Amino acid sequence: MHFGSAVPTVEVGALSGEDFLLDVREDDEWNAGHAADALHIPMSAFVERYGELTEAAPQDGRVNVVCRSGARSAQVTMYLRQQGIDAVNVEGGMRAWEIEGRPLVDEKGQPGFVA
């Protein structure tokens, strides 16, 4: 899914282990499989939990926003940019993450999958 030039994107392959990752999928999706170091704030609870992001995100760094395929994360990316935060949408979401062979863990720390 492509959202045009209004939403900046980054490809999974361009991300390193040092990059800050915000996962906005719902709890069941997160529990099935996620990037180990990602911050999880479901889109459905994002506005009320926004402070968690501002506490955890790097002050001068970029926030890479991911969901399953890129649609929800594009919406959150646009919201963050309106708040003055340097945010980009991860192109293809966690499906692209899985296809790239990036590691996924479930809620117990075992190998996970994209639900």
Side-chain angles (χ1 to χ4, degrees):
M1 193 168 287
H2 185 61
F3 289 89
S5 60
V7 180
T9 62
V10 63
E11 292 186 12
V12 170
L15 295 173
S16 76
E18 304 299 310
D19 288 315
F20 185 83
L21 191 64
L22 170 65
D23 191 324
V24 298
R25 295 175 302 149
E26 296 304 312
D27 290 340
D28 60 329
E29 296 171 289
W30 168 265
N31 291 341
H34 58 270
D37 295 329
L39 172 65
H40 178 229
I41 304 176
M43 183 175 166
S44 61
F46 193 77
V47 173
E48 58 265 25
R49 292 178 56 188
Y50 179 74
E52 292 176 41
L53 172 67
T54 58
E55 287 179 20
Q59 295 292 13
D60 296 321
R62 185 176 72 190
V63 175
N64 301 284
V65 188
V66 68
C67 66
R68 184 172 187 266
S69 63
R72 289 172 286 177
S73 53
Q75 293 175 49
V76 173
T77 297
M78 288 186 54
Y79 174 80
L80 291 174
R81 294 185 70 79
Q82 290 168 353
Q83 308 308 310
I85 294 176
D86 180 13
V88 296
N89 188 27
V90 177
E91 187 78 37
M94 290 306 291
R95 288 174 28 203
W97 183 276
E98 189 173 46
I99 289 167
E100 288 266 337
R102 298 284 183 112
L104 291 161
V105 295
D106 67 14
E107 78 274 20
K108 296 177 180 147
Q110 300 300 311
F113 64 95
V114 175

